[in-house]
Structure formats: structure tokens, C-alpha cells
Amino acid sequence: MSPLIRPRTTEDLRSCIEALATVHASDRYPVDWPADPGRWLTPSDLVEAWVVVEGSDVVGHVGLSRLDAATLEAPLARAISTPAGPVGSITRLFVTPQGRGCGHAIRLLDVAGKKAADLGMPLVLDVSDDGHAAIALYERAGWRRVASARAEWLNAAGENALLHYYVSPETTRKPAQSEQAPSVRRQTGRAGEMHRSSGEIAPAG
């Protein structure tokens, strides 16, 4: 049976947690296993989430969150097409080891991107500097880096994670030149828990 991408339902949550556990075991995403993984997969600003299903197994997941443009890093805010209002953000993106190499991550990004476009929201994401496979995936898919900054949360090495901020191909305004801020940034409640970001997703897409 061909893999199916569809909106996540309440009934999917247990399978999503099981899938996340396999990713955590193989890639340490998230860096620290959440006390309540169901809640972690359902942040308060979540608009919608989607799953990739193979047979009865969830092998991929992505969420779309709605952010306030006023909370964004200045270079990121300048790079999006609207100066105010809601902004879409990719969150909780992962593909299990068994689901990798099939293009699921790209298709999940596309689904979330179409939803953001339908809602009239520019789309952004952030990823930890150590997420080399994810960074390569995003850049291959046409996402453009516009800023970098240190987070308050620690990566697997026990250091303040360096986050890179990207805008989607559909976000029309030309991105600002990438900036790297060595100082620790204050979290807005979205990326610090969410990533070593999508940085632990499918190495082969």
C-alpha cells in the first residue's frame, strides 16, 4: 500500500508518540524526551498537523504553527512578505528511520506550505546548526536562510544551540543577508522546545 499523507487525528496521537520515540532513540530528537509527548506534539499555537501513514504505522509527522510577526527575530521579520499579522512556522517535523529515503519530508513540507498559503501566511522554520541533513534538505527544497542566533536551550553537546532561520520558497520577499548573533536569544515559546528542530528528520528526505 502506498504511503498516505493526511491530517492528524486524535486517534493518531499514540502512533505519533511511538514514531517519535523511534526518532528520539536513533537521532535524539527531541534532545530531551518530553514529560508529556502528546502535549509536546500539540503546541498551543498549532494550526494543524499531518502524518505519513504506511499500513498502520505513522512514519512521518509535521505541524503548522501560527506565530505573531512581532515576536520574530528582526532579520526574519524583514524577510517575510507581510510586516505584521500571523506567520506560519513549521514545527514537530520528523520522519522515522524506516520511512526515510522516500521523500516524505519534502511532501510534508509541501502540505504544510499549501495550508499556510491558503491562510495567507508567510512560512518560516528554524533548525539547529547540527542538523546537517535537515539543512541540506531545506536548501535543496528552495528554503533560504535569512538569520542565525543562539538559543537559550542546550543541544546534545550541552551548548546553547545555534539556530538558523529559513523562509519558504513561497515567501515572496527577498530574504535579508544571513546574520549570526552569538548572544543567547530569548525564546518565544516555539523553537526552543521544538528543535534540534526538524534537524533530526530524514537524512535522505
Side-chain angles (χ1 to χ4, degrees):
M1 181 180 296
S2 298
L4 171 68
I5 295 181
R6 59 168 173 74
R8 192 186 85 191
T9 67
T10 303
E11 290 73 25
D12 292 322
L13 201 53
R14 181 179 294 276
S15 294
C16 290
I17 293 170
E18 292 172 355
L20 182 65
T22 68
V23 175
H24 178 71
S26 65
D27 303 312
R28 203 175 167 191
Y29 171 73
V31 176
D32 298 310
W33 183 253
D36 186 343
R39 176 173 288 185
W40 186 88
L41 286 166
T42 314
S44 60
D45 54 8
L46 187 70
V47 174
E48 192 168 352
W50 296 264
V51 291
V52 183
V53 180
E54 289 186 352
S56 60
D57 297 328
V58 169
V59 298
H61 179 278
V62 71
L64 173 67
S65 289
R66 180 186 284 110
L67 308 177
D68 183 342
T71 67
L72 301 180
E73 294 289 322
L76 183 57
R78 288 195 298 268
I80 63 177
S81 59
T82 53
V87 175
S89 178
I90 297 294
T91 187
R92 300 344 186 214
L93 172 59
F94 59 88
V95 175
T96 65
Q98 77 180 76
R100 295 176 184 172
C102 302
H104 295 330
I106 291 290
R107 287 193 283 272
L108 285 167
L109 286 171
D110 287 346
V111 168
K114 288 175 184 175
K115 181 66 174 183
D118 289 345
L119 296 173
M121 298 191 300
L123 187 61
V124 302
L125 62 79
D126 61 63
V127 57
S128 180
D129 182 67
D130 57 2
H132 305 298
I135 289 170
L137 174 77
Y138 299 145
E139 295 183 353
R140 219 167 39 240
W143 288 70
R144 298 181 66 180
R145 185 185 303 185
V146 296
S148 300
R150 290 284 177 185
E152 287 183 342
W153 57 275
L154 303 182
N155 59 22
E159 303 168 340
N160 292 101
L162 175 62
L163 299 181
H164 301 303
Y165 296 87
Y166 284 79
V167 294
S168 73
E170 295 75 22
T171 299
T172 55
R173 185 172 175 179
K174 184 178 179 181
Q177 184 176 2
S178 178
E179 297 181 17
Q180 180 168 314
S183 59
V184 174
R185 65 179 283 270
R186 185 176 184 276
Q187 288 297 327
T188 61
R190 62 182 185 90
E193 326 169 359
M194 141 183 155
H195 293 120
R196 241 177 30 147
S197 181
S198 7
E200 303 307 334
I201 63 167

